[in-house]
Amino acid sequence: MVEHDGGWAYKVGDVFSESFPSREEATSAAEQAAAAHREAGGDAFIEYQDARGRWHQEVEAGDDRPATHVEQVDAPSGEEQGRAQNGA
């Protein structure tokens, strides 16, 4: 977990979550987010722009879910960070 915006947050890659009042609440939110990404859902139409500015349209299967988990990682400053990880 990292201190962020007056509270605690978790990170997915370089993106911070919303801030939580305590480290424990941020950890719990990271675990809930990781679990939600593993749950199957319905198929969905998605549209996105790639790094080159091209738009793509796809149907994403609801049962094609990433493997996710929350891990504690040492930050360069020695502080613990919680990071929600996505793996294929």
Side-chain angles (χ1 to χ4, degrees), residues 37-61:
H37 283 282
R38 291 187 298 265
E39 291 180 16
D43 293 352
F45 174 78
I46 61 171
E47 185 174 29
Y48 63 94
Q49 189 175 18
D50 66 20
R52 293 184 168 170
R54 292 178 290 191
W55 285 92
H56 302 268
Q57 298 175 345
E58 301 176 1
V59 174
E60 192 67 32

mmCIF file of all heavy atoms in Angstrom, residues 37-61:
data_model
loop_
_atom_site.group_PDB
_atom_site.id
_atom_site.type_symbol
_atom_site.label_atom_id
_atom_site.label_comp_id
_atom_site.label_asym_id
_atom_site.label_seq_id
_atom_site.Cartn_x
_atom_site.Cartn_y
_atom_site.Cartn_z
ATOM 1 N N HIS A 37 -12.297 -9.209 -10.626
ATOM 2 C CA HIS A 37 -11.750 -9.415 -11.975
ATOM 3 C C HIS A 37 -11.700 -10.891 -12.358
ATOM 4 O O HIS A 37 -11.657 -11.216 -13.542
ATOM 5 C CB HIS A 37 -10.356 -8.796 -12.101
ATOM 6 C CG HIS A 37 -10.399 -7.322 -12.263
ATOM 7 N ND1 HIS A 37 -10.714 -6.707 -13.448
ATOM 8 C CD2 HIS A 37 -10.202 -6.328 -11.376
ATOM 9 C CE1 HIS A 37 -10.697 -5.406 -13.291
ATOM 10 N NE2 HIS A 37 -10.386 -5.149 -12.039
ATOM 11 N N ARG A 38 -11.711 -11.769 -11.363
ATOM 12 C CA ARG A 38 -11.682 -13.212 -11.650
ATOM 13 C C ARG A 38 -13.074 -13.790 -11.929
ATOM 14 O O ARG A 38 -13.188 -14.878 -12.476
ATOM 15 C CB ARG A 38 -11.058 -13.966 -10.473
ATOM 16 C CG ARG A 38 -9.583 -13.708 -10.301
ATOM 17 C CD ARG A 38 -8.974 -14.607 -9.243
ATOM 18 N NE ARG A 38 -9.540 -14.416 -7.926
ATOM 19 C CZ ARG A 38 -9.034 -13.628 -6.977
ATOM 20 N NH1 ARG A 38 -7.934 -12.949 -7.211
ATOM 21 N NH2 ARG A 38 -9.608 -13.529 -5.803
ATOM 22 N N GLU A 39 -14.125 -13.072 -11.537
ATOM 23 C CA GLU A 39 -15.487 -13.581 -11.685
ATOM 24 C C GLU A 39 -15.957 -13.498 -13.127
ATOM 25 O O GLU A 39 -15.801 -12.468 -13.780
ATOM 26 C CB GLU A 39 -16.450 -12.787 -10.797
ATOM 27 C CG GLU A 39 -16.232 -13.030 -9.331
ATOM 28 C CD GLU A 39 -17.193 -12.249 -8.465
ATOM 29 O OE1 GLU A 39 -18.219 -11.760 -8.994
ATOM 30 O OE2 GLU A 39 -16.916 -12.129 -7.273
ATOM 31 N N ALA A 40 -16.558 -14.585 -13.581
ATOM 32 C CA ALA A 40 -17.112 -14.603 -14.935
ATOM 33 C C ALA A 40 -18.349 -13.723 -14.988
ATOM 34 O O ALA A 40 -19.037 -13.519 -13.997
ATOM 35 C CB ALA A 40 -17.466 -16.026 -15.336
ATOM 36 N N GLY A 41 -18.614 -13.186 -16.147
ATOM 37 C CA GLY A 41 -19.796 -12.359 -16.361
ATOM 38 C C GLY A 41 -20.326 -12.617 -17.753
ATOM 39 O O GLY A 41 -19.963 -13.607 -18.399
ATOM 40 N N GLY A 42 -21.151 -11.730 -18.238
ATOM 41 C CA GLY A 42 -21.693 -11.868 -19.579
ATOM 42 C C GLY A 42 -20.732 -11.339 -20.623
ATOM 43 O O GLY A 42 -19.812 -10.582 -20.327
ATOM 44 N N ASP A 43 -20.928 -11.759 -21.858
ATOM 45 C CA ASP A 43 -20.135 -11.229 -22.958
ATOM 46 C C ASP A 43 -20.393 -9.726 -23.070
ATOM 47 O O ASP A 43 -21.481 -9.248 -22.760
ATOM 48 C CB ASP A 43 -20.509 -11.898 -24.280
ATOM 49 C CG ASP A 43 -20.140 -13.373 -24.313
ATOM 50 O OD1 ASP A 43 -19.465 -13.846 -23.380
ATOM 51 O OD2 ASP A 43 -20.525 -14.046 -25.283
ATOM 52 N N ALA A 44 -19.384 -8.971 -23.504
ATOM 53 C CA ALA A 44 -19.527 -7.524 -23.606
ATOM 54 C C ALA A 44 -18.858 -7.016 -24.868
ATOM 55 O O ALA A 44 -17.795 -7.495 -25.262
ATOM 56 C CB ALA A 44 -18.905 -6.847 -22.386
ATOM 57 N N PHE A 45 -19.492 -6.041 -25.493
ATOM 58 C CA PHE A 45 -18.915 -5.349 -26.637
ATOM 59 C C PHE A 45 -18.008 -4.271 -26.073
ATOM 60 O O PHE A 45 -18.420 -3.475 -25.227
ATOM 61 C CB PHE A 45 -20.020 -4.733 -27.496
ATOM 62 C CG PHE A 45 -19.492 -3.890 -28.622
ATOM 63 C CD1 PHE A 45 -18.997 -4.482 -29.768
ATOM 64 C CD2 PHE A 45 -19.486 -2.513 -28.524
ATOM 65 C CE1 PHE A 45 -18.499 -3.704 -30.814
ATOM 66 C CE2 PHE A 45 -18.996 -1.733 -29.559
ATOM 67 C CZ PHE A 45 -18.510 -2.336 -30.707
ATOM 68 N N ILE A 46 -16.750 -4.235 -26.506
ATOM 69 C CA ILE A 46 -15.834 -3.202 -26.037
ATOM 70 C C ILE A 46 -15.241 -2.460 -27.227
ATOM 71 O O ILE A 46 -15.114 -3.007 -28.327
ATOM 72 C CB ILE A 46 -14.698 -3.764 -25.145
ATOM 73 C CG1 ILE A 46 -13.842 -4.770 -25.910
ATOM 74 C CG2 ILE A 46 -15.263 -4.368 -23.878
ATOM 75 C CD1 ILE A 46 -12.591 -5.192 -25.164
ATOM 76 N N GLU A 47 -14.930 -1.212 -26.994
ATOM 77 C CA GLU A 47 -14.308 -0.369 -28.002
ATOM 78 C C GLU A 47 -13.181 0.382 -27.306
ATOM 79 O O GLU A 47 -13.358 0.919 -26.224
ATOM 80 C CB GLU A 47 -15.342 0.609 -28.551
ATOM 81 C CG GLU A 47 -14.852 1.463 -29.681
ATOM 82 C CD GLU A 47 -15.974 2.312 -30.274
ATOM 83 O OE1 GLU A 47 -16.927 2.668 -29.553
ATOM 84 O OE2 GLU A 47 -15.881 2.625 -31.459
ATOM 85 N N TYR A 48 -11.998 0.392 -27.921
ATOM 86 C CA TYR A 48 -10.871 1.070 -27.304
ATOM 87 C C TYR A 48 -9.927 1.611 -28.362
ATOM 88 O O TYR A 48 -9.928 1.171 -29.505
ATOM 89 C CB TYR A 48 -10.110 0.124 -26.354
ATOM 90 C CG TYR A 48 -9.489 -1.071 -27.047
ATOM 91 C CD1 TYR A 48 -8.169 -1.037 -27.471
ATOM 92 C CD2 TYR A 48 -10.233 -2.229 -27.273
ATOM 93 C CE1 TYR A 48 -7.593 -2.129 -28.109
ATOM 94 C CE2 TYR A 48 -9.668 -3.325 -27.906
ATOM 95 C CZ TYR A 48 -8.351 -3.269 -28.316
ATOM 96 O OH TYR A 48 -7.801 -4.345 -28.953
ATOM 97 N N GLN A 49 -9.120 2.583 -27.933
ATOM 98 C CA GLN A 49 -8.134 3.200 -28.811
ATOM 99 C C GLN A 49 -6.755 2.715 -28.404
ATOM 100 O O GLN A 49 -6.399 2.737 -27.224
ATOM 101 C CB GLN A 49 -8.220 4.720 -28.672
ATOM 102 C CG GLN A 49 -7.407 5.477 -29.677
ATOM 103 C CD GLN A 49 -7.630 6.980 -29.572
ATOM 104 O OE1 GLN A 49 -8.115 7.475 -28.572
ATOM 105 N NE2 GLN A 49 -7.278 7.694 -30.621
ATOM 106 N N ASP A 50 -5.952 2.279 -29.373
ATOM 107 C CA ASP A 50 -4.604 1.799 -29.061
ATOM 108 C C ASP A 50 -3.616 2.967 -29.007
ATOM 109 O O ASP A 50 -3.981 4.132 -29.229
ATOM 110 C CB ASP A 50 -4.155 0.702 -30.028
ATOM 111 C CG ASP A 50 -3.968 1.167 -31.465
ATOM 112 O OD1 ASP A 50 -3.804 2.388 -31.711
ATOM 113 O OD2 ASP A 50 -3.962 0.303 -32.356
ATOM 114 N N ALA A 51 -2.368 2.657 -28.700
ATOM 115 C CA ALA A 51 -1.334 3.682 -28.539
ATOM 116 C C ALA A 51 -1.093 4.486 -29.819
ATOM 117 O O ALA A 51 -0.613 5.612 -29.767
ATOM 118 C CB ALA A 51 -0.033 3.033 -28.077
ATOM 119 N N ARG A 52 -1.421 3.914 -30.962
ATOM 120 C CA ARG A 52 -1.237 4.613 -32.246
ATOM 121 C C ARG A 52 -2.468 5.415 -32.652
ATOM 122 O O ARG A 52 -2.512 5.971 -33.749
ATOM 123 C CB ARG A 52 -0.885 3.623 -33.340
ATOM 124 C CG ARG A 52 0.468 2.995 -33.139
ATOM 125 C CD ARG A 52 0.799 2.100 -34.282
ATOM 126 N NE ARG A 52 2.202 1.730 -34.236
ATOM 127 C CZ ARG A 52 2.741 0.823 -34.985
ATOM 128 N NH1 ARG A 52 2.011 0.170 -35.867
ATOM 129 N NH2 ARG A 52 4.020 0.538 -34.873
ATOM 130 N N GLY A 53 -3.485 5.430 -31.795
ATOM 131 C CA GLY A 53 -4.684 6.208 -32.086
ATOM 132 C C GLY A 53 -5.732 5.483 -32.903
ATOM 133 O O GLY A 53 -6.728 6.071 -33.291
ATOM 134 N N ARG A 54 -5.532 4.188 -33.172
ATOM 135 C CA ARG A 54 -6.510 3.400 -33.934
ATOM 136 C C ARG A 54 -7.568 2.843 -32.990
ATOM 137 O O ARG A 54 -7.268 2.420 -31.880
ATOM 138 C CB ARG A 54 -5.824 2.255 -34.669
ATOM 139 C CG ARG A 54 -4.922 2.746 -35.781
ATOM 140 C CD ARG A 54 -4.227 1.609 -36.452
ATOM 141 N NE ARG A 54 -3.250 1.080 -35.488
ATOM 142 C CZ ARG A 54 -2.308 0.215 -35.751
ATOM 143 N NH1 ARG A 54 -2.213 -0.292 -36.944
ATOM 144 N NH2 ARG A 54 -1.458 -0.177 -34.829
ATOM 145 N N TRP A 55 -8.801 2.852 -33.462
ATOM 146 C CA TRP A 55 -9.910 2.321 -32.662
ATOM 147 C C TRP A 55 -10.152 0.861 -33.008
ATOM 148 O O TRP A 55 -10.046 0.462 -34.167
ATOM 149 C CB TRP A 55 -11.181 3.139 -32.909
ATOM 150 C CG TRP A 55 -11.103 4.454 -32.209
ATOM 151 C CD1 TRP A 55 -10.646 5.629 -32.715
ATOM 152 C CD2 TRP A 55 -11.451 4.704 -30.857
ATOM 153 N NE1 TRP A 55 -10.685 6.606 -31.759
ATOM 154 C CE2 TRP A 55 -11.181 6.066 -30.609
ATOM 155 C CE3 TRP A 55 -11.950 3.918 -29.823
ATOM 156 C CZ2 TRP A 55 -11.415 6.652 -29.364
ATOM 157 C CZ3 TRP A 55 -12.188 4.503 -28.597
ATOM 158 C CH2 TRP A 55 -11.912 5.851 -28.376
ATOM 159 N N HIS A 56 -10.493 0.080 -31.990
ATOM 160 C CA HIS A 56 -10.771 -1.343 -32.150
ATOM 161 C C HIS A 56 -12.114 -1.648 -31.512
ATOM 162 O O HIS A 56 -12.484 -1.047 -30.508
ATOM 163 C CB HIS A 56 -9.692 -2.184 -31.462
ATOM 164 C CG HIS A 56 -8.317 -1.911 -31.974
ATOM 165 N ND1 HIS A 56 -7.755 -2.632 -32.993
ATOM 166 C CD2 HIS A 56 -7.401 -0.982 -31.618
ATOM 167 C CE1 HIS A 56 -6.543 -2.172 -33.230
ATOM 168 N NE2 HIS A 56 -6.305 -1.160 -32.413
ATOM 169 N N GLN A 57 -12.827 -2.594 -32.100
ATOM 170 C CA GLN A 57 -14.098 -3.067 -31.559
ATOM 171 C C GLN A 57 -14.016 -4.576 -31.442
ATOM 172 O O GLN A 57 -13.589 -5.245 -32.373
ATOM 173 C CB GLN A 57 -15.259 -2.671 -32.467
ATOM 174 C CG GLN A 57 -15.420 -1.180 -32.600
ATOM 175 C CD GLN A 57 -16.514 -0.805 -33.601
ATOM 176 O OE1 GLN A 57 -16.968 -1.635 -34.386
ATOM 177 N NE2 GLN A 57 -16.934 0.440 -33.548
ATOM 178 N N GLU A 58 -14.408 -5.095 -30.278
ATOM 179 C CA GLU A 58 -14.340 -6.535 -30.028
ATOM 180 C C GLU A 58 -15.518 -6.964 -29.160
ATOM 181 O O GLU A 58 -16.085 -6.162 -28.439
ATOM 182 C CB GLU A 58 -13.068 -6.900 -29.262
ATOM 183 C CG GLU A 58 -11.781 -6.537 -29.917
ATOM 184 C CD GLU A 58 -10.571 -6.845 -29.043
ATOM 185 O OE1 GLU A 58 -10.746 -7.364 -27.911
ATOM 186 O OE2 GLU A 58 -9.458 -6.560 -29.489
ATOM 187 N N VAL A 59 -15.800 -8.239 -29.218
ATOM 188 C CA VAL A 59 -16.703 -8.847 -28.244
ATOM 189 C C VAL A 59 -15.816 -9.629 -27.293
ATOM 190 O O VAL A 59 -15.043 -10.492 -27.711
ATOM 191 C CB VAL A 59 -17.747 -9.769 -28.904
ATOM 192 C CG1 VAL A 59 -18.565 -10.488 -27.847
ATOM 193 C CG2 VAL A 59 -18.650 -8.960 -29.825
ATOM 194 N N GLU A 60 -15.880 -9.275 -26.035
ATOM 195 C CA GLU A 60 -15.065 -9.913 -25.003
ATOM 196 C C GLU A 60 -15.906 -10.985 -24.311
ATOM 197 O O GLU A 60 -16.989 -10.699 -23.809
ATOM 198 C CB GLU A 60 -14.592 -8.858 -23.994
ATOM 199 C CG GLU A 60 -13.536 -9.318 -23.059
ATOM 200 C CD GLU A 60 -12.210 -9.619 -23.756
ATOM 201 O OE1 GLU A 60 -11.870 -8.976 -24.757
ATOM 202 O OE2 GLU A 60 -11.515 -10.522 -23.269
ATOM 203 N N ALA A 61 -15.414 -12.208 -24.324
ATOM 204 C CA ALA A 61 -16.138 -13.317 -23.701
ATOM 205 C C ALA A 61 -16.178 -13.126 -22.188
ATOM 206 O O ALA A 61 -15.171 -12.787 -21.568
ATOM 207 C CB ALA A 61 -15.473 -14.638 -24.037
#
